[in-house]
């Protein structure tokens, strides 16, 4: 069974440019998570989807970040415009459902903003 | 609010020695607790989890953890560390709140 797929794996952009990350969760997983992991820190939840609905986006900086999960499968996270402080690893994870279910993580997208 | 504290930022152990990584949590009810491992450039892999029942939980790669409600702790242990265990270890509660991680180095 394929795991969580993320692309690109690495991205280098200049500040003020837009950037997008793509995530394909494990087939059948209804819950999808986007996390940001700063260097030397643990993952911090940005947004959680239950199927197509964003049920927890309180930590998403909505002035520059947006996310969507069309048809309850793939998801895209966008930053526009990017700032220097957005340099981090963006992790996508999925689970069968929320709560006690195990999350399966993708390899992440490492973003560097210059 | 939920929170997780991993007091040790970096631990170095000798190969073959025992290991204990500390995790303390703050949660209003009986928590769901997790330990994940992250190798360089990789995503997080679940080592073990506790939901209820037996407070000693066995995981993959020879790891175990013990839930102690009185101490609000969920420490990770391994009796004999291998060089391949060198990685970053994260404790999580909820499962949405992660600690800052403990980096494990293994020396010969």
């Amino acid at each position: 069974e394929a795991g969580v797929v993320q692309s690109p794996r690495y991205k280098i952009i200049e500040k003020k440019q837009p950037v997008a990350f793509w995530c394909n969760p494990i087939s059948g997983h209804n819950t999808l998570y986007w996390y940001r992991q700063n260097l030397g820190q643990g993952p911090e939840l940005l947004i959680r989807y239950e199927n197509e609905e964003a049920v927890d986006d309180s930590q998403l900086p909505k002035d520059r970040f947006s996310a969507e999960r069309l048809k309850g499968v793939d998801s895209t996270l966008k930053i526009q415009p990017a700032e220097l402080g957005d340099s981090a690893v963006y992790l996508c994870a999925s689970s069968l459902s929320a709560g006690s279910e195990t999350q399966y993580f993708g390899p992440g997208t490492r973003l560097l903003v210059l | 609010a939920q929170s997780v504290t991993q007091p040790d930022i970096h631990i170095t152990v000798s190969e073959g020695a025992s290991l204990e990584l500390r995790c303390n949590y703050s949660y209003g009810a009986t928590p769901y607790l997790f330990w994940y491992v992250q190798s360089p450039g990789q995503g997080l892999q679940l080592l073990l989890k506790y939901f209820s029942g037996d407070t000693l939980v066995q995981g993959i790669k020879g790891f175990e953890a013990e839930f102690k409600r009185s101490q609000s702790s969920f420490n990770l242990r391994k009796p004999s560390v291998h060089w391949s265990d060198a990685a970053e270890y994260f404790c999580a509660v909820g499962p949405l709140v992660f600690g800052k991680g403990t980096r494990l180095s293994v020396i010969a």
Side-chain angles (χ1 to χ4, degrees):
Chain A
E1 178 181 296
V4 176
V5 179
Q6 290 188 248
S7 68
R9 291 293 310 275
Y10 305 92
K11 190 73 176 179
I12 301 174
I13 61 173
E14 294 187 345
K15 64 181 180 181
K16 300 185 181 179
Q17 294 301 305
V19 64
F21 314 125
W22 176 79
C23 173
N24 180 239
I26 293 174
S27 178
H29 281 196
N30 296 321
T31 306
L32 185 145
Y33 313 77
W34 282 103
Y35 290 89
R36 177 169 58 190
Q37 185 177 21
N38 292 312
L39 189 64
Q41 302 293 316
E44 296 177 328
L45 181 71
L46 291 174
I47 189 167
R48 175 168 63 97
Y49 281 93
E50 294 293 338
N51 298 304
E52 297 179 352
E53 183 181 1
V55 296
D56 185 351
D57 63 354
S58 57
Q59 300 302 312
L60 189 71
K62 298 182 181 62
D63 57 337
R64 297 183 300 107
F65 285 66
S66 64
E68 60 182 8
R69 190 182 184 197
L70 299 176
K71 301 182 180 179
V73 182
D74 295 3
S75 178
T76 302
L77 178 68
K78 299 178 181 177
I79 308 175
Q80 182 171 10
E83 298 179 351
L84 296 177
D86 295 330
S87 295
V89 176
Y90 291 83
L91 294 166
C92 180
S94 69
S95 63
L96 283 171
S97 62
S100 62
E101 291 291 342
T102 298
Q103 293 181 65
Y104 295 85
F105 283 82
T109 297
R110 185 175 297 274
L111 173 67
L112 179 60
V113 182
L114 303 176
Chain B
Q2 303 171 33
S3 66
V4 177
T5 301
Q6 294 181 246
D8 304 304
I9 296 174
H10 183 205
I11 285 181
T12 300
V13 300
S14 299
E15 190 169 17
S18 64
L19 170 70
E20 183 170 27
L21 302 182
R22 296 184 291 165
C23 173
N24 294 98
Y25 66 89
S26 173
Y27 191 75
T30 300
Y32 299 141
L33 294 162
F34 305 77
W35 273 101
Y36 288 85
V37 61
Q38 185 178 34
S39 298
Q42 302 297 313
L44 281 72
Q45 180 185 21
L46 181 71
L47 287 175
L48 47 78
K49 59 186 178 183
Y50 171 79
F51 294 158
S52 65
D54 193 344
T55 57
L56 185 61
V57 180
Q58 301 297 321
I60 63 172
K61 304 184 180 185
F63 285 93
E64 66 177 26
E66 186 171 11
F67 170 59
K68 293 186 177 180
R69 183 189 303 275
S70 61
Q71 299 177 18
S72 297
S73 69
F74 188 57
N75 294 347
L76 182 71
R77 301 193 294 250
K78 186 170 185 178
S80 178
V81 170
H82 187 262
W83 64 267
S84 61
D85 293 325
E88 191 87 18
Y89 291 81
F90 293 94
C91 181
V93 64
L96 300 176
V97 180
F98 287 78
K100 294 186 176 182
T102 297
R103 182 161 61 94
L104 174 65
S105 297
V106 181
I107 58 176

